[in-house]
């Protein structure tokens, strides 16, 4: 039985999750970015944990390879204290999740976004994400969905920026973004 479990791929490089790098907010920049992303994994995972005190909250904007064009689409299901919602944004929408990061420093927002096949150079790049936001002591917003990126000429993802949606909003020092590699494409 142990041989069968081993043969099924339980463990080893093909299943490994490897921390690649992390960055903290500075309080003076609205961009957290990774450049020179290694092309040696099957997927990338980004984990953002933050609490913001900007009075209107902060939207999480994902930018691949510096491209700010209209080639992003968001699909998402989310719930809040008032109901369950489904959204499909066909316009230029690099924002995931739809809910803004909380505006109360006591409440934390977390976003987990994975990009599979990020080394591909044809088709499109698709992600899967989930988030959990606590906007007040009584309003908790959960979300699942993702972003599809379909430029005219697709390239492998070599840089990823996670930005705020306004130049005067900055990632605060309690913000942390980590990048992980999943598996091996060798």
């Amino acid at each position: 039985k142990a041989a069968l479990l081993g043969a099924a791929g339980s463990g080893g490089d093909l299943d490994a999750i490897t921390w690649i790098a992390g960055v903290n907010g500075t309080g003076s920049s609205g961009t957290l970015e990774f450049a020179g992303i290694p092309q040696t994994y099957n997927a990338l995972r980004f984990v953002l944990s933050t609490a913001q005190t900007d009075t209107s909250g902060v939207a999480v904007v994902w930018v691949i390879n510096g491209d700010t064009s209209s080639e992003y689409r968001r699909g998402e299901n989310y719930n809040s204290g008032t109901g369950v919602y489904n959204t499909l944004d066909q316009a230029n929408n690099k924002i995931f999740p739809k809910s803004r990061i909380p505006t109360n420093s006591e409440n934390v927002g977390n976003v987990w976004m994975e990009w599979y096949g990020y080394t591909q150079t044809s088709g499109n790049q698709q992600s899967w994400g989930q988030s959990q936001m606590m906007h007040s002591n009584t309003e908790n917003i959960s979300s699942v969905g993702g972003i599809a990126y379909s430029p005219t000429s697709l390239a492998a993802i070599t840089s990823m920026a996670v930005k705020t949606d306004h130049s005067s909003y900055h990632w605060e020092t309690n913000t942390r973004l980590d990048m992980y590699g999943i598996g091996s494409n060798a």
Side-chain angles (χ1 to χ4, degrees), residues 77-86 142:
N77 294 305
Y78 64 99
N79 70 358
S80 70
T82 58
V84 177
Y85 304 92
N86 186 335
S142 298

Side-chain angles (χ1 to χ4, degrees), residues 32-158:
L32 301 170
E33 185 169 15
F34 297 109
I37 295 174
Q39 302 293 292
T40 55
Y41 302 99
N42 287 329
L44 294 175
R45 175 182 294 168
F46 296 89
V47 179
L48 176 71
S49 178
T50 184
Q52 295 292 123
T53 57
D54 291 310
T55 56
S56 60
V58 174
V60 180
V61 180
W62 299 84
V63 178
I64 296 172
N65 297 341
D67 185 2
T68 59
S69 70
S70 61
E71 302 300 330
Y72 297 84
R73 309 289 183 264
R74 177 184 69 214
E76 183 176 2
N77 294 305
Y78 64 99
N79 70 358
S80 70
T82 58
V84 177
Y85 304 92
N86 186 335
T87 181
L88 178 60
D89 290 326
Q90 292 297 332
N92 178 19
N93 203 326
K94 301 173 279 295
I95 295 173
F96 181 89
K98 184 178 178 82
S99 300
R100 300 177 81 74
I101 296 290
T103 59
N104 181 330
S105 62
E106 295 176 4
N107 296 318
V108 176
N110 294 288
V111 180
W112 178 340
M113 187 72 100
E114 294 181 349
W115 296 84
Y116 294 90
Y118 74 99
T119 61
Q120 66 190 25
T121 56
S122 63
N124 57 37
Q125 300 286 4
Q126 292 191 357
S127 65
W128 175 88
Q130 62 184 21
S131 70
Q132 187 76 22
M133 305 293 171
M134 181 66 111
H135 282 238
S136 67
N137 289 333
T138 59
E139 185 180 17
N140 187 358
I141 298 177
S142 298
S143 177
V144 295
I147 297 171
Y149 171 63
S150 306
T152 304
S153 179
L154 186 72
I157 297 175
T158 58

